[in-house]
Amino acid sequence: MEIIVPNVTPFTKDNRIDKDRLKEHLENLIEKGIDIIFINGTTGMGPSLSAEEKKEILNISYDVTGKIIFQLGGLNLDDTLNLLQYSRDFDIIGVASYSPYYYPQLPSKWVIRYFKTLVEKSPHPVYVYNFPAATGFDMNYELMKQIDGLAGLKDTNDNFVHSLQYKRFLNIKVYNGSDYLTVQSLTYLDGTVTAGGNYMPELLSLQKKLVSEGKINDAFEVQKTYYKFLDIARKYGQMSAHYILVKELQGYDVGYPREPLYPLTEDEIKQLEADVKEIKNEYTFILDKYGITS
Ligand code: ELE
C-alpha cells in the first residue's frame, strides 16, 4: 500500500516557480515516509502550469526522488505528447493525466481514445486521474475496462463505492484521492492520494503504519485529528490554505499559490493560525504517543 502526496507547487510573489522551496518541501515529504509524489496535480496547480513549467517541476523533483508520478495532462495534445517524450530519460514510477476537461458532453469514445494514445506512446506506466467534480467527466470502471495496459487510477471521489468498483472489476492499482478517505483507501484499495500529506506527513505515515499492522481502530483515531486540520484548510479555501498549513505544521515556507488562486489575506492567516493553535497540541500528542519526531 502506498501513501501518495500531490505536492503543493511553491510560487514566488511574482508567480514564478520557487525551485529551492519546492526542493526543500519534497525532501521533507520523502524524509517523513511519503512513498510517491504526485507532481502537477490539482494541489500542485497542474492546470495553471505551462508545459515548460511541468518539465521544470519534473527536473527539480527528480533531483530529490524518482518516486514520482508525473501528471502531464492538458487540453493541448501536442504538449502532452511532448511531455511524455521528455519523461523518457527519467526513471520514475509513472505518468498520469486527468481526462480532457472543460468541454461539455464529450463523447466517451474520445476520452478513451485519448488515454489509449497515452498508453501507446508512454515510456512509463500510465495512471488515469479521475476527478469528475473538477473535469466534468467520469472515467468509471466500464470506460476504464475498454483501455488495455493501464497501470492504475487515482479516483478523487467522495463516493467510495465508485472507487471500490475499479478494484472489483479491473486488475490495476486503485487509489482514492479524497482527503477524508485515507484509512479507508489504505485498508481496501492500494493506497491513498491526499493533499493533507503536504502538511501532515507524519500523521499520514502513521495511518499507513497502523493499517499495515492491522490496528485499524488506532488508525481511525489518528484520522480524526487529520480531519480537524483538513476542516481548517477547507474553511479558508484549501488550495491556498495548504501553503500556510505547511508553515504552521512543518515549519518552513512554501511560498505562494499562483494567481488567480490568491494567497490568503493577512486577516485570514491570523484566523487560520488561531484555529491551528487551538488543536495543535493534538498533533504533538499523537507524535509523542507514537514516539515520532517531527
Ligand atoms: C485531490 C484534491 C481533492 C488531491 C491532487 C489530488 O491534488 O492531485 O476536497 O478531498 O476532494 O484531488 O485535493 O480534494 P477533496 O489528488
Side-chain angles (χ1 to χ4, degrees):
M1 89 185 60
E2 284 98 31
I3 42 176
I4 306 179
V5 171
N7 65 286
V8 297
T9 302
F11 293 95
T12 61
K13 215 167 186 165
D14 58 352
N15 274 321
R16 303 286 133 230
I17 293 166
D18 194 327
K19 295 179 192 170
D20 293 341
R21 292 199 158 127
L22 175 57
K23 210 166 161 201
E24 182 185 20
H25 182 45
L26 299 185
E27 278 165 357
N28 180 50
L29 296 182
I30 293 295
E31 197 187 307
K32 301 266 167 83
I34 301 310
D35 296 309
I36 301 175
I37 307 287
F38 190 92
I39 61 173
N40 310 327
T42 304
T43 307
M45 297 194 182
S48 306
L49 299 164
S50 69
E52 280 311 307
E53 287 174 327
K54 286 179 185 150
K55 285 184 191 170
E56 193 183 337
I57 288 172
L58 175 61
N59 273 304
I60 300 165
S61 309
Y62 197 68
D63 272 352
V64 177
T65 181
K67 296 175 188 172
I68 292 170
I69 295 179
F70 177 36
Q71 198 292 120
L72 40 64
L75 294 180
N76 181 319
L77 188 57
D78 269 355
D79 277 352
T80 300
L81 295 181
N82 180 283
L83 289 169
L84 264 187
Q85 189 62 29
Y86 184 78
S87 73
R88 207 168 276 279
D89 295 334
F90 297 78
D91 182 15
I92 55 177
I93 307 268
V95 298
S97 172
Y98 18 70
S99 51
Y101 55 96
Y102 182 76
Y103 301 112
Q105 286 148 25
L106 287 181
S108 52
K109 67 175 186 184
W110 294 356
V111 181
I112 289 169
R113 182 171 165 185
Y114 170 76
F115 282 111
K116 279 186 170 171
T117 306
L118 296 195
V119 171
E120 188 193 312
K121 310 254 183 208
S122 177
H124 302 291
V126 176
Y127 292 76
V128 169
Y129 179 6
N130 188 46
F131 193 177
T135 62
F137 189 90
D138 182 20
M139 274 300 284
N140 59 37
Y141 78 91
E142 278 155 328
L143 300 182
M144 290 282 290
K145 252 165 110 175
Q146 297 174 47
I147 307 163
D148 289 331
L150 285 170
L153 157 127
K154 162 169 80 153
D155 187 32
T156 295
N157 211 312
D158 289 341
N159 177 354
F160 199 61
V161 175
H162 188 274
S163 297
L164 288 171
Q165 280 174 326
Y166 300 103
K167 204 64 221 153
R168 194 172 148 208
F169 296 112
L170 302 166
N171 188 20
I172 56 169
K173 291 249 189 189
V174 180
Y175 305 101
N176 180 285
S178 163
D179 272 336
Y180 286 85
L181 289 168
T182 46
V183 174
Q184 295 74 6
S185 307
L186 287 164
T187 307
Y188 294 110
L189 303 173
D190 295 290
T192 175
V193 185
T194 168
N198 279 284
Y199 47 96
M200 299 183 277
E202 298 92 349
L203 292 199
L204 183 56
S205 293
L206 182 56
Q207 289 174 63
K208 176 186 164 182
K209 180 171 179 282
L210 292 170
V211 171
S212 65
E213 291 169 354
K215 297 175 180 160
I216 307 294
N217 284 337
D218 291 342
F220 279 134
E221 277 308 308
V222 174
Q223 191 180 29
K224 280 187 195 160
T225 301
Y226 199 76
Y227 282 169
K228 290 187 185 172
F229 289 93
L230 298 176
D231 289 346
I232 294 179
R234 274 149 188 79
K235 184 169 159 192
Y236 297 94
Q238 70 200 65
M239 290 293 292
S240 297
H242 291 147
Y243 290 79
I244 309 301
L245 283 162
V246 172
K247 203 189 286 174
E248 286 296 302
L249 293 174
Q250 297 299 310
Y252 55 84
D253 199 329
V254 281
Y256 301 88
R258 170 173 269 180
E259 295 170 0
L261 301 191
Y262 298 103
L264 301 192
T265 64
E266 291 291 318
D267 281 350
E268 286 167 334
I269 292 172
K270 277 205 189 98
Q271 262 299 320
L272 184 153
E273 285 169 352
D275 290 349
V276 167
K277 203 166 168 205
E278 248 176 59
I279 56 167
K280 197 166 173 189
N281 58 344
E282 262 189 48
Y283 201 96
T284 37
F285 175 80
I286 292 177
L287 299 191
D288 286 350
K289 180 173 166 189
Y290 288 96
I292 299 166
T293 43
S294 59

